[in-house]
């Protein structure tokens, strides 16, 4: 199974030393492509060398970076929303968030949220155009009831993903995912009140950790993200935080 970690920080709150620490600690794949989005340059990597990692260290927060190998990714982007923020995503076969990671995140005042979820499930749930996932061998059972229209030109399905509880939602200041595991910092409580988060009744586990951090495990097993029971929990979480209103208020 491939997992994704999504990290969200206020714009300008972290720099190259954090990127480098995160890359060295979490990325276990050998990159074959390295792209700098600000310059538009993208090139193949034949032999991953220290100078390539140094490029990560020397980046400013508003640079964009993509390091990849097939579907494995390490990305840094600044979002184009009403309140731009720093978004970091890592996708690979084995990922977790441990106490050392949490301590590091909390060193930065701008930490907003972190999510850990099934990469394939999120991709299927977040994809509008049928052609973008067709033929990839992904299980599509989770979108069997998703409403759709037919594209007038290609005649392929265009899904209304607002009905999908496992989709990723970008708002001003953070991504929101009804993920297997979630962590929220003080900046997130400007969007959803802290006590409202803590009072969510349907989670497998909720804890208030050090320095005001909230940890939520929505359901027991990540491998069961797409079961009807767990999708219902994800749906109830999005309704609890009023995702439709958040999308309206923070475009």
């Amino acid at each position: 199974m491939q997992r994704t970690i999504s990290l969200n920080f206020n714009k300008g709150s972290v720099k190259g030393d954090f990127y480098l620490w995160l890359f060295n600690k979490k990325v276990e794949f050998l990159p074959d492509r390295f792209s700098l989005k600000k310059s538009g340059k993208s090139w193949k990597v034949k032999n991953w060398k220290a100078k390539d990692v140094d490029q990560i260290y020397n980046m400013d927060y508003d640079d964009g970076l993509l390091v990849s190998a097939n579907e494995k990714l390490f990305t840094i982007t600044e979002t184009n929303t009403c309140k731009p923020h720093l978004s970091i995503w890592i996708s690979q076969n084995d990922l977790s968030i441990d106490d050392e990671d949490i301590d590091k995140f909390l060193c930065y005042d701008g930490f907003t949220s972190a999510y850990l979820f099934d990469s394939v499930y999120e991709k299927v749930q977040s994809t509008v155009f049928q052609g973008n996932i067709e033929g990839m061998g992904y299980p599509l059972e989770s979108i069997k009831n998703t409403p759709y229209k037919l594209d007038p030109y290609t005649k392929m399905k265009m899904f209304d993903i607002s009905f999908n509880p496992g989709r990723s939602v970008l708002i001003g200041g953070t991504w929101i995912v009804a993920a297997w595991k979630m962590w929220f910092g003080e900046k997130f409580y400007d969007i959803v009140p802290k006590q409202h988060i803590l009072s969510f009744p349907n989670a497998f586990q909720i804890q208030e950790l050090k320095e005001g951090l909230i940890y939520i495990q929505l359901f027991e097993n990540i491998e069961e993200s797409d079961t009807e029971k767990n999708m219902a929990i994800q749906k109830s979480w999005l309704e609890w935080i009023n995702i439709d209103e958040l999308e309206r208020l923070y475009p």
Side-chain angles (χ1 to χ4, degrees):
M1 169 182 289
Q2 187 160 306
R3 299 181 179 187
T4 293
I5 291 172
S6 169
L7 302 175
N8 301 278
F9 293 87
N10 278 6
K11 178 179 173 180
S13 59
V14 300
K15 297 290 185 179
D17 59 340
F18 177 76
Y19 303 144
L20 187 60
W21 170 84
L22 187 64
F23 184 92
N24 287 332
K25 187 170 190 290
K26 292 297 181 185
V27 173
E28 296 183 353
F29 62 88
L30 184 64
D32 64 13
R33 184 169 291 280
F34 188 85
S35 304
L36 291 175
K37 295 184 179 181
K38 176 180 282 188
S39 67
K41 293 182 179 178
S42 176
W43 61 91
K44 286 282 189 179
V45 178
K46 294 182 178 179
N47 297 297
W48 187 253
K49 297 178 182 178
K51 68 178 180 63
D52 299 313
V53 179
D54 289 343
Q55 179 66 62
I56 296 173
Y57 178 82
N58 291 324
M59 287 179 60
D60 292 325
Y61 71 87
D62 58 347
D63 284 336
L65 175 73
L66 169 65
V67 178
S68 64
N70 297 320
E71 293 189 3
K72 301 178 180 68
L73 301 170
F74 175 85
T75 68
I76 301 170
T77 56
E78 180 184 312
T79 62
N80 184 23
T81 53
C82 64
K83 181 183 178 183
H85 78 275
L86 182 71
S87 171
I88 306 170
W89 286 45
I90 307 173
S91 296
Q92 63 186 33
N93 294 338
D94 185 25
L95 276 172
S96 62
I97 295 179
D98 57 29
D99 290 343
E100 181 187 359
D101 299 332
I102 293 300
D103 288 342
K104 190 74 171 182
F105 302 162
L106 293 177
C107 288
Y108 301 95
D109 290 337
F111 172 70
T112 304
S113 63
Y115 306 95
L116 180 59
F117 52 87
D118 179 334
S119 303
V120 170
Y121 173 63
E122 181 274 333
K123 185 177 181 67
V124 169
Q125 289 273 297
S126 303
T127 298
V128 173
F129 296 101
Q130 175 186 355
N132 290 342
I133 51 176
E134 195 172 60
M136 293 184 175
Y138 293 164
L140 304 180
E141 183 72 10
S142 69
I143 56 172
K144 65 180 181 181
N145 296 320
T146 302
Y148 65 87
K149 296 180 180 179
L150 291 179
D151 182 279
Y153 302 103
T154 66
K155 304 303 179 183
M156 299 191 77
K157 294 179 181 178
M158 299 170 57
F159 294 105
D160 184 350
I161 62 171
S162 66
F163 285 83
N164 294 344
R167 71 191 186 278
S168 52
V169 180
L170 177 61
I171 67 170
T174 184
W175 281 93
I176 291 180
V177 187
W180 173 50
K181 293 184 177 182
M182 308 182 289
W183 293 259
F184 300 109
E186 293 287 348
K187 300 300 181 183
F188 192 84
Y189 310 144
D190 295 334
I191 300 170
V192 180
K194 181 178 179 181
Q195 289 306 314
H196 187 67
I197 295 172
L198 288 170
S199 61
F200 177 62
N202 300 325
F204 180 74
Q205 183 180 12
I206 296 181
Q207 290 179 285
E208 185 173 4
L209 306 177
K210 53 195 166 185
E211 300 184 41
L213 183 79
I214 294 176
Y215 164 69
I216 299 180
Q217 183 175 341
L218 272 187
F219 45 90
E220 186 171 7
N221 298 310
I222 190 173
E223 296 84 0
E224 298 174 353
S225 299
D226 60 354
T227 65
E228 288 188 11
K229 176 184 176 181
N230 290 337
M231 289 177 68
I233 295 172
Q234 295 161 47
K235 182 175 184 291
S236 69
W237 168 251
L238 293 180
E239 290 174 346
W240 186 259
I241 64 173
N242 200 351
I243 189 64
D244 292 340
E245 183 69 2
L246 293 184
E247 287 190 273
R248 186 186 71 81
L249 291 174
Y250 305 100

